[in-house]
Amino acid sequence: MAWVGAHGGAGTSTLAAVFGGVDLGREWPRPEHGEPDSVLLVARTHAAGLQALSRALDRIRTGEHPAGVEVAGAVLVADAPGRLPRDLTRRVKVISSVVEVHRVPWVPGWRIGDLTVPPPRETASLSRLTSETNQPPESKS
């Protein structure tokens, strides 16, 4: 599994450290060079992050991504503690209509660099997805 940011500062490094997989920053993987062919697009939940994710999804829709790369979903990382404003919640709903969305709430420990803080229970489906995808092929069932 590769983590690809829709914009800088999306959180790909933290997610790769916590959930496993390969942090590719903002670059698409190159499966022909042994990089993963399955991607999770990552964005923060602020307006600019959601716009960047929408643009990335539109490029995928029009075929402007590397051949052989599959988008397994989008990961929205909270940009602040608390609930999203109504306008941003509406944008998340629209994004959810075109791609599976996993939400990562605000984790204070991660903000200060403590990646030993366990992932919140709200990320259970993301944990399952990444643990299944990151297993060697012979151990997948």
Side-chain angles (χ1 to χ4, degrees):
M1 178 70 64
W3 302 91
V4 175
H7 56 88
T12 58
S13 298
T14 297
L15 294 171
V18 171
F19 294 100
V22 179
D23 170 19
L24 293 178
R26 295 192 60 203
E27 300 297 320
W28 285 101
R30 298 168 303 168
E32 69 278 7
H33 291 110
E35 294 176 346
D37 59 359
S38 186
V39 167
L40 284 167
L41 290 173
V42 182
R44 294 285 177 172
T45 56
H46 50 57
L50 296 176
Q51 286 173 329
L53 179 59
S54 293
R55 285 191 302 272
L57 290 170
D58 193 50
R59 286 191 299 273
I60 291 163
R61 183 187 61 78
T62 59
E64 297 175 45
H65 68 290
V69 172
E70 174 195 347
V71 176
V75 179
L76 298 178
V77 179
D79 67 308
R83 298 174 60 112
L84 285 178
R86 188 174 310 189
D87 287 349
L88 298 180
T89 299
R90 279 192 283 249
R91 288 185 188 188
V92 169
K93 254 185 156 166
V94 170
I95 291 167
S96 297
S97 72
V98 296
V99 69
E100 182 176 355
V101 170
H102 300 274
R103 301 278 302 268
V104 177
W106 184 259
V107 181
W110 293 357
R111 184 178 194 201
I112 60 170
D114 182 1
L115 302 183
T116 64
V117 174
R121 64 178 142 80
E122 296 93 334
T123 63
S125 66
L126 180 59
S127 291
R128 281 190 301 278
L129 174 64
T130 57
S131 66
E132 290 169 5
T133 308
N134 290 326
Q135 289 179 5
E138 63 275 0
S139 65
K140 290 181 185 177
S141 46

